[in-house]
């Protein structure tokens, strides 16, 4: 179990984490919460129906990490360049889609990251340090989504765009200032992979 998720009888997953690993995941999840933001709740009207139909932003976020977490719905960065009139139409469709979906997407990412923080805060430390994290099926899915968001965020900061970039990261010298972030990215990828396998078993 150390370092990777294993299935639990009846569903869910478990993983043994040491104190440093717990601290790293919790810190990253809190940073993700800060990045995604508190949501519209602070300024929302008292009418819950009005809050339900509140419109979100129509423009992509300025921060490249948030652009990765909330990409445009109608553009294909790997596809051929669109004709000017098609590009304008894509931007209009993307703006409309973002206006009506981004608030919900942000709320989902916040809830998943909060689930990570809460489950870590609820751990009972083992006598020799660390703890065994046990997750229900629903908690496992929230963790999986949040691990994916964390890797997207770190990958964006590291400017990873394809598998070749990941291969280069393995060869970074230890003195490279990106090395700790790279190690976190690769480690989270391992956790994510074992959690996927657990949920599919």
């Amino acid at each position: 179990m150390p370092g990777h998720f294993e299935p639990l009888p009846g569903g869910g997953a478990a993983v043994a984490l040491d104190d440093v690993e717990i601290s790293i995941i919790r810190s990253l999840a809190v940073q993700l919460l800060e990045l995604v933001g508190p949501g519209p709740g602070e300024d929302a009207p008292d009418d819950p129906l009005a809050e339900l139909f509140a419109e979100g932003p129509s423009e992509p976020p300025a921060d490249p990490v948030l652009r990765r977490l909330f990409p445009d719905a109608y553009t294909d960065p790997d596809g051929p360049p669109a004709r000017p009139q098609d590009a304008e139409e894509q931007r209009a469709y993307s703006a409309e889609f973002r206006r009506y979906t981004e608030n919900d997407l942000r709320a989902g990412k916040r809830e998943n990251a909060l689930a990570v923080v809460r489950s870590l805060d609820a751990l009972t430390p083992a006598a020799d340090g660390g703890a065994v994290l046990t997750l229900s099926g629903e908690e496992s899915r929230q963790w999986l989504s949040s691990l994916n968001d964390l890797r997207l965020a770190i990958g964006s900061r590291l400017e990873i765009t394809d598998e070749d970039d990941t291969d280069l990261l393995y060869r970074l010298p230890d003195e490279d200032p990106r090395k700790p972030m790279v190690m976190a990215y690769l480690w989270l990828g391992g956790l994510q992979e074992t959690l996927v396998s657990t949920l599919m078993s």
Side-chain angles (χ1 to χ4, degrees), residues 11-86:
V15 62
L17 299 170
D18 65 31
D19 292 337
V20 173
E21 292 169 333
I22 292 167
S23 175
I24 289 171
I25 297 173
R26 190 185 189 287
S27 174
L28 289 172
V30 168
Q31 289 177 54
L32 181 63
L33 283 166
E34 292 170 353
L35 183 66
V36 170
E42 296 293 323
D43 304 320
D46 293 332
D47 180 0
L49 191 60
E51 183 177 352
L52 179 65
F53 291 102
E55 293 184 3
S58 60
E59 294 298 318
D63 187 311
V65 175
L66 288 174
R67 278 201 307 273
R68 190 85 170 265
L69 291 173
F70 305 103
D72 275 336
Y74 290 93
T75 57
D76 180 5
D78 300 322
R83 294 177 304 168
Q85 63 267 30
D86 293 340

Side-chain angles (χ1 to χ4, degrees), residues 4-8 12-14 140 193-201:
H4 63 274
F5 281 97
E6 293 185 0
L8 290 174
S140 296
E193 188 176 328
T194 61
L195 186 51
V196 168
S197 299
T198 297
L199 291 175
M200 293 175 65
S201 62

Side-chain angles (χ1 to χ4, degrees), residues 65-132:
V65 175
L66 288 174
R67 278 201 307 273
R68 190 85 170 265
L69 291 173
F70 305 103
D72 275 336
Y74 290 93
T75 57
D76 180 5
D78 300 322
R83 294 177 304 168
Q85 63 267 30
D86 293 340
E88 188 59 40
E89 191 173 89
Q90 285 177 349
R91 277 193 291 275
Y93 286 145
S94 290
E96 192 73 2
F97 184 82
R98 184 178 296 278
R99 183 177 297 123
Y100 293 108
T101 61
E102 188 168 312
N103 283 346
D104 287 341
L105 290 173
R106 283 180 182 262
K109 290 182 187 302
R110 272 192 302 275
E111 191 54 43
N112 292 335
L114 277 171
V116 169
V117 172
R118 289 174 182 144
S119 58
L120 292 175
D121 287 349
L123 287 176
T124 303
D128 57 349
V132 174

Side-chain angles (χ1 to χ4, degrees), residues 91-171:
R91 277 193 291 275
Y93 286 145
S94 290
E96 192 73 2
F97 184 82
R98 184 178 296 278
R99 183 177 297 123
Y100 293 108
T101 61
E102 188 168 312
N103 283 346
D104 287 341
L105 290 173
R106 283 180 182 262
K109 290 182 187 302
R110 272 192 302 275
E111 191 54 43
N112 292 335
L114 277 171
V116 169
V117 172
R118 289 174 182 144
S119 58
L120 292 175
D121 287 349
L123 287 176
T124 303
D128 57 349
V132 174
L133 173 71
T134 58
L135 302 173
S136 67
E138 177 58 28
E139 289 170 331
S140 296
R141 285 182 284 278
Q142 289 180 301
W143 263 74
L144 186 59
S145 294
S146 207
L147 286 172
N148 186 61
D149 287 341
L150 290 173
R151 291 192 78 238
L152 283 174
I154 295 172
S156 181
R157 290 285 187 240
L158 292 170
E159 298 180 348
I160 297 172
T161 56
D162 58 36
E163 196 60 38
D164 291 340
D165 294 334
T166 306
D167 292 340
L168 290 172
L169 296 178
Y170 281 104
R171 297 192 293 275

